[in-house]
Amino acid sequence: MLEDRRLEVLRAIVEDFVLSNEPVGSKALAERHNLGVSPATVRNDMSALEEEGYITQPHTSAGRIPTDKGYRLFVDRLSGVKPLSRAERRAIQSFLEGAVDLDDVVRRSVRLLAQLTRQVAVVQYPSLSSSSVRHIEVVTLGPRRMLMVMITDTGRVEQRIIDSLTPVDDEIAGELRSALNCALAGQRLADAPEVVATLPDQARPELRPCLATMTGAVLESLVERPEERLAMAGTANLTRASVDFADSLRSILEALEEQVVLMKLIGSARETGTVTVRIGRETDVDALRTTAVVATGYGRGPFALGGMGVVGPMRMDYPWTMAAVRAVAKYVGELLGAD
């Protein structure tokens, strides 16, 4: 266990380095922070922190900078989530409440996160498997063609054009709509396969071929439509911190283009209200070893409908970034939970 004073020295080093991007010396720390000890004592504490692997000296004559391990300890032990002001919370709420549909909510959220944190922001669309059916609409497009529209409780819309083996008219479309809604309205999509499996057998014989086709389309929507949809904004913010990435900026940009990588970083947030921070090699993505990822889940209850977060340099303002991510997620969850 580090002594309390050394923890305060580490806190001061992290805070000064985040602001200045310059190695921090013992004299500067003693002058700028009320540590209650002499520069010589600060130097001893810095030496101990360096031996423990929490800070490092980039050049022989330079001060110290935090390591991945040092940032980790700072996040875990020394930093609290910085509270947002009433004006900041009101601004976030006002910006998001102007959204007209799910796509607009996601677009606004990702832009807002990028602007607030000056990092790369990523927002996952609500997972289909975590959503419930609100309504299914069936519309005839021709003698043997129909349009099925499935609307989830999160506002997500899935559409599918279906070719029928038998003729269809508005009356048949109405029966199909009624059967599907009676069975699925309010049901979690994860439970849909079991619910729809027996629907055709329960229908009148003339309707069974069409209903079998429709239930097949519902299942195909879940299987074939990728639920891991993402929105990203603020990539240009990385250039502001290019000095933090040295020669790794290109590989970071390439990694961020890979949806699988982003889903691994953001989509793994399974709980609402809990902010996770992965620093450096904790991302388990070699190209992102010089970055940090702050993420959380959003939704209407304890379990997340989707994840959101930011990717930036390890030299970031963690308390503010964590607060911003959590606040935006809170309002998005409230929006999607509103009737």
Side-chain angles (χ1 to χ4, degrees):
M1 296 289 291
L2 292 175
E3 297 177 6
D4 289 344
R5 191 184 68 224
R6 289 178 183 171
L7 288 172
E8 287 303 309
V9 170
L10 176 62
R11 182 205 299 272
I13 291 172
V14 172
E15 291 176 349
D16 280 10
F17 183 63
V18 167
L19 287 174
S20 68
N21 196 28
E22 295 290 339
V24 182
S26 57
K27 183 178 179 182
L29 280 182
E31 291 174 351
R32 285 197 292 265
H33 299 269
N34 185 24
L35 298 174
V37 294
S38 68
T41 301
V42 174
R43 277 196 298 275
N44 291 335
D45 289 337
M46 292 174 71
S47 296
L49 288 167
E50 187 171 11
E51 289 178 5
E52 294 284 344
Y54 294 103
I55 59 176
T56 187
Q57 189 175 28
H59 308 291
T60 305
S61 59
R64 307 305 200 274
I65 65 174
T67 62
D68 296 22
K69 185 179 178 181
Y71 282 121
R72 181 77 266 165
L73 184 63
F74 175 80
V75 170
D76 290 345
R77 294 276 305 278
L78 303 174
S79 69
V81 177
K82 188 182 297 181
L84 272 63
S85 69
R86 182 177 299 177
E88 289 167 337
R89 294 196 303 270
R90 191 163 50 243
I92 292 173
Q93 185 176 12
S94 175
F95 183 78
L96 293 178
E97 281 182 344
V100 297
D101 56 24
L102 177 61
D103 285 329
D104 199 16
V105 169
V106 172
R107 284 193 298 266
R108 285 172 180 256
S109 301
V110 77
R111 288 205 321 269
L112 181 61
L113 262 186
Q115 291 167 6
L116 286 173
T117 64
R118 295 192 175 186
Q119 315 291 0
V120 179
V122 182
V123 175
Q124 177 193 11
Y125 276 76
S127 167
L128 273 179
S129 60
S130 301
S131 304
S132 299
V133 177
R134 176 174 289 172
H135 180 72
I136 294 179
E137 187 60 53
V138 180
V139 180
T140 56
L141 299 178
R144 293 177 181 267
R145 176 166 285 194
M146 296 172 289
L147 172 66
M148 184 193 72
V149 182
M150 182 170 60
I151 304 170
T152 72
D153 59 339
T154 59
R156 184 163 173 172
V157 178
E158 295 293 322
Q159 301 183 47
R160 201 172 189 90
I161 294 176
I162 300 162
D163 291 316
S164 174
L165 296 176
T166 58
V168 294
D169 55 23
D170 291 343
E171 183 178 350
I172 290 176
E175 287 190 62
L176 293 170
R177 183 190 312 117
S178 178
L180 290 170
N181 280 297
C182 285
L184 290 174
Q187 293 282 348
R188 292 178 65 249
L189 291 180
D191 301 326
E194 183 177 350
V195 174
V196 303
T198 60
L199 271 183
D201 295 335
Q202 299 171 9
R204 61 184 177 87
E206 296 83 2
L207 196 64
R208 287 174 187 169
C210 284
L211 192 53
T213 303
M214 297 299 293
T215 55
V218 171
L219 298 177
E220 288 172 1
S221 294
L222 299 179
V223 174
E224 296 178 4
R225 287 276 196 161
E227 64 173 80
E228 295 86 1
R229 293 174 59 196
L230 297 166
M232 183 169 64
T235 306
N237 288 331
L238 290 176
T239 61
R240 295 195 184 103
S242 58
V243 66
D244 292 277
F245 302 127
D247 299 325
S248 62
L249 182 57
R250 181 174 179 177
S251 61
I252 291 172
L253 291 171
E254 290 174 348
L256 293 178
E257 290 178 356
E258 296 293 331
Q259 182 160 301
V260 173
V261 171
L262 292 178
M263 282 302 305
K264 181 180 179 182
L265 297 174
I266 305 299
S268 60
R270 298 301 180 193
E271 296 182 3
T272 60
T274 300
V275 179
T276 61
V277 180
R278 278 177 282 182
I279 300 168
R281 297 189 183 279
E282 292 175 356
T283 62
D284 292 327
V285 180
D286 189 59
L288 300 179
R289 65 187 181 280
T290 58
T291 72
V293 179
V294 179
T296 191
Y298 66 86
R300 294 151 302 182
F303 301 107
L305 293 171
M308 67 170 61
V310 299
V311 182
M314 288 188 286
R315 186 181 62 88
M316 72 165 64
D317 184 344
Y318 289 99
W320 164 250
T321 303
M322 293 166 69
V325 169
R326 188 171 69 177
V328 174
K330 175 179 178 291
Y331 286 117
V332 170
E334 290 176 354
L335 276 178
L336 296 181
D339 291 331

